Amino acid sequence: MADPRGFLTVRERELTPKRPVALRLMDWREVVDPADPTLVARQASRCMDCGVAFCHQGCPLGNLIPEWNDLVHRGRGREAVERLHETNNFPEFTGRACPAPCESACVLGISEPAVTIKQVENSIIDTAFAEGWVVPRPPERLTGKTVAVVGSGPAGLAAAQQLTRAGHTVAVYERDEAPGGLLRFGIPDFKLEKSLVERRIEQLKAEGTRFRCGVEIGVDMSWAELRRRFDAVIVATGATVPRALGVPGEELDGVLPAMHFLTAANREQQGGADAAVPAALSAAGKHVIVIGGGDTGADCVGTAHRQGARSVTSLAIGAQPPEARPSGQPWPVHPTLFEVSSSHEEGGERRYLAATVECVGEQGRVTGLSVAETGFTEQGRAPIPGTEVLFEADLVLVALGFSGPEPVADPALSLPAGPRGALLRGDDYATEIPGVFVAGDAGRGQSLIVWAIAEGRSAAAAADRFLTGATVLPSPVGAQERAFAVSNSRE
């Protein structure tokens, strides 16, 4: 390590300040400006010479975190980005949209605030692009084999880039008008500016990956035809079926899945006046209630603020998480903690132990939400009768996650789904159909972006082995692996 005592001399965990709320609500830019390189190098010096780097275990990609922390501290940015890219195709995505289980597993975090790993990661890749160090890496030779990747989210893009660089001819099929999946249409610009997505797409194109947008497999082209055209197929369609609210009145106009709301807002930001948000999907001048306390819910809150919502209320059925790591989630487990996202800093009300009872409406449109206190029974959480309160609501956004991928009706790809809705595959990502693999949320279920990229890389290795008999591509995770967790015997 550059400074083996750095964690003793730099005790404070220091993050780049966010832009003032009043200023950032006037635009859709990222809420944090680029970090001061001096600050980043100082924070990187806090990385310990810990012997066993548990941050590797916390990250399914196996990122070489101590190595690039050391290089940043030494001012060797070009080498740092090379280390970063050895394990992660898209560090600018994980550095912005991943909750950083690596920081939860940081050894320093046992007794001190953890190293600011995400901040260092973002600084490395942003500097690398600014300096022109990130360039296309086309293959030296072609294998003559062809691969179709269905879906252009983080798993599909990672798989495509790995296979293209291995020399296969890769075509990515995306039913939307542009590639990127939820990176482009689901995550707001204030969290991930789309210029970052676009520059990666351009890199993939320059390397030889082909994109076929506006083509929905199973509709515009049959799965049977796709399999005839290509030697291998990777299904990376994501988990896009939203969980239902399951209460009376959820069919009322104004009660929407969160992703419908976010997608419309993202399209407007990317398309200008021609892609204006329809009034039914806009929060402008409305009382907005967001049901769900996760990242998607927070994205809805920030988007509603920028659209000019009259009020924004977030509801979570569970109790408010603790601010410090609970005893039942010891280091190095990624704990559930109370966090104030940038969106929640911008205003609105947050309520916990709030169970939705009914969506109330007039003339087919929602006007309010009946909410009760959450109680606990042998069957689980349930509303406590007699505690109902009626909230005024013009727009109710359901951010309860996703139940799995959309089912495939084409008999040419009759992939069975497991009990949780995800498509079944072996530990090597292969399905029962030879040459067909499943990667990302389509096979894992709703998960983190870092798991999607890890699965894309692993599925690419499996497909490469199927096509050529061997592979040198890395396979960081097996399809059945899960994040490390501690079982609570009292549950």
Side-chain angles (χ1 to χ4, degrees):
M1 304 301 293
D3 185 357
R5 298 180 61 84
F7 70 98
L8 295 174
T9 57
V10 183
R11 306 296 291 269
E12 183 181 358
R13 175 183 164 94
E14 191 176 3
L15 295 170
T16 301
K18 300 183 183 74
R19 295 191 294 132
V21 169
L23 179 62
R24 68 189 194 227
L25 284 178
M26 298 173 64
D27 59 42
W28 293 80
R29 286 180 45 221
E30 286 190 34
V31 300
V32 179
D33 285 325
D36 177 8
T38 303
L39 179 152
V40 174
R42 185 168 62 247
Q43 287 298 306
S45 75
R46 299 178 68 238
C47 186
M48 303 170 65
D49 186 9
C50 54
V52 178
F54 273 80
C55 54
H56 289 182
Q57 171 271 326
C59 175
L61 283 166
N63 281 332
L64 306 173
I65 296 165
E67 294 186 30
W68 40 258
N69 273 329
D70 182 31
L71 291 166
V72 168
H73 176 72
R74 294 173 183 268
R76 294 158 61 179
R78 189 158 197 163
E79 294 174 68
V81 77
E82 289 174 358
R83 293 289 199 287
L84 191 54
H85 274 146
E86 281 186 23
T87 57
N88 189 350
N89 298 70
F90 315 119
E92 66 273 30
F93 301 161
T94 52
R96 289 167 168 84
C98 179
C102 54
E103 293 187 6
S104 299
C106 175
V107 174
L108 181 59
I110 297 175
S111 58
E112 299 283 346
V115 175
T116 59
I117 297 172
K118 281 181 62 172
Q119 179 171 262
V120 176
E121 181 180 24
N122 272 335
S123 178
I124 292 171
I125 190 61
D126 289 350
T127 299
F129 269 106
E131 295 292 337
W133 298 336
V134 182
V135 296
R137 290 172 45 199
E140 295 181 358
R141 63 179 181 84
L142 295 178
T143 64
K145 301 292 186 179
T146 58
V147 183
V149 177
V150 184
S152 65
L157 292 179
Q161 186 166 62
Q162 293 294 96
L163 289 166
T164 296
R165 289 176 172 178
H168 305 303
T169 299
V170 180
V172 179
Y173 286 87
E174 170 56 58
R175 66 182 177 183
D176 286 322
E177 66 272 22
L182 292 185
L183 294 170
R184 183 184 293 274
F185 295 110
I187 301 177
D189 277 39
F190 56 79
K191 192 170 178 179
L192 176 66
E193 292 187 6
K194 300 306 168 276
S195 60
L196 307 184
V197 179
E198 196 58 48
R199 70 187 182 187
R200 278 297 183 183
I201 299 299
E202 292 305 312
Q203 182 194 33
L204 266 72
K205 289 179 179 178
E207 292 173 347
T209 301
R210 304 170 184 180
F211 289 90
R212 304 287 184 263
C213 296
V215 179
E216 183 172 359
I217 305 301
V219 177
D220 302 302
M221 179 192 299
S222 70
W223 287 96
E225 183 179 356
L226 188 76
R227 290 179 56 204
R228 283 195 300 271
R229 289 189 183 186
F230 293 89
D231 298 312
V233 174
I234 294 180
V235 180
T237 52
T240 56
V241 178
R243 296 188 187 279
L245 186 55
V247 300
E250 65 177 329
E251 75 286 349
L252 291 169
D253 291 342
V255 181
L256 304 171
M259 202 50 63
H260 291 189
F261 171 72
L262 293 174
T263 298
N266 275 306
R267 280 200 165 95
E268 180 179 54
Q269 291 306 307
Q270 296 170 60
D274 293 339
V277 174
L281 297 177
S282 174
K286 297 177 181 178
H287 294 288
V288 179
I289 296 181
V290 180
I291 302 176
D295 286 343
T296 301
D299 291 346
C300 289
V301 170
T303 300
H305 286 320
R306 283 162 179 76
Q307 289 182 342
R310 190 172 176 184
S311 69
V312 182
T313 303
S314 298
L315 304 179
I317 194 170
Q320 179 175 318
E323 295 185 3
R325 183 188 289 273
S327 59
Q329 296 176 326
W331 175 91
V333 173
H334 187 56
T336 301
L337 300 175
F338 176 71
E339 296 180 348
V340 179
S341 71
S342 63
S343 295
H344 292 125
E345 290 174 349
E346 294 163 0
E349 182 181 4
R350 302 174 76 176
R351 287 179 174 256
Y352 291 89
L353 293 175
T356 303
V357 176
E358 181 182 7
C359 299
V360 179
E362 295 178 1
Q363 298 179 341
R365 180 159 192 85
V366 68
T367 58
L369 198 69
S370 177
V371 178
E373 296 179 11
T374 303
F376 298 88
T377 67
E378 293 182 357
Q379 290 72 37
R381 293 174 293 199
I384 300 176
T387 62
E388 295 85 357
V389 175
L390 185 64
F391 287 85
E392 185 176 0
D394 306 304
L395 183 64
V396 176
L397 303 174
V398 182
L400 300 178
F402 304 90
S403 61
E406 297 171 24
V408 178
D410 194 327
L413 197 82
S414 55
L415 298 179
R420 300 182 64 182
L423 300 179
L424 293 179
R425 73 263 175 96
D427 197 49
D428 61 352
Y429 297 88
T431 67
E432 297 176 349
I433 303 174
V436 177
F437 303 84
V438 175
D441 289 3
R444 176 170 292 272
Q446 181 184 348
S447 187
L448 305 179
I449 184 174
V450 69
W451 280 95
I453 296 174
E455 286 219 356
R457 289 169 66 88
S458 301
D464 186 41
R465 186 181 298 109
F466 168 80
L467 293 169
T468 64
T471 186
V472 296
L473 296 179
S475 182
V477 293
Q480 311 309 322
E481 289 185 36
R482 294 294 182 268
F484 179 63
V486 175
S487 174
N488 190 336
S489 60
R490 293 174 297 177
E491 292 183 354

